[in-house]
Amino acid sequence: MSNRGAFITLEGIEGAGKSTCLALVGQLLQQAGRQFIETREPGGTPLGESLRRLLLDHSSAGMSSDTELLLMFAARSEHLQQKILPAMEEGKWVLCDRFTDATYAYQGGGRGIPAARIQILEEWVQKGVKPDLTLLLDLPPETGLARAGKRSAPDRFETEALSFFQRVRQAYLDLAWAEPARIRIVDASRPLPEVQAQVSALVREFISSWR
Ligand code: TMP
């Protein structure tokens, strides 16, 4: 893939401010004259969005962790093949709300599935494709859940206990410490203008460094 577009993802627990930051990153890409698509996981394709509904709906309460993991990767496989890879090959940038780091955080940290098992699926489905830049919006789960609670009725994940989100947050931080060049931590507990300034600086630096 020569001259391919870059792949940027946003991660964080619920209420971290991903949507606001996603819109900001989109504006920055537009200002820089980069063509891009905006998408999300689970979802991004018609089949992926159907799987998303199954995954988030309360009627799926009691779904086994392995089923949840496999459905996340089924949606991801479809998303990569139908949308992400074709866009990157056309030279477009891809801006994605969550990707595989969320699987290590939620199904790994949250549900307790061993990372080695997730890695097998990652290698199978992604064949080496990984985000080029990941912004991790980090904040204490107490703060995030209070913000998310004000927004809408909780989905199947949002009804998990605080301890679940504490494990998710820790797993995200462990990923960031293991891959500091790719995963950049943003302190999302700061006031919004400060968070946006931090995101802008990181994204501008990345844009100017991209081939
Ligand atoms: P959101 O994209 O609206 O934040 O919601 C998606 C939910 O799905 C969120 O609670 C995190 C969860 N999720 C996983 O558990 N594993 C994954 O691999 C992905 C992409 C999302």
Side-chain angles (χ1 to χ4, degrees), residues 14 18 41-42 52 72 76 98 102-103 106-107 157:
E14 347 297 287
K18 275 189 298 110
E41 289 216 345
R52 178 188 179 90
M72 290 292 177
R76 185 160 300 137
R98 298 192 187 280
T103 313
Y106 284 78
Q107 283 64 54
F157 285 97

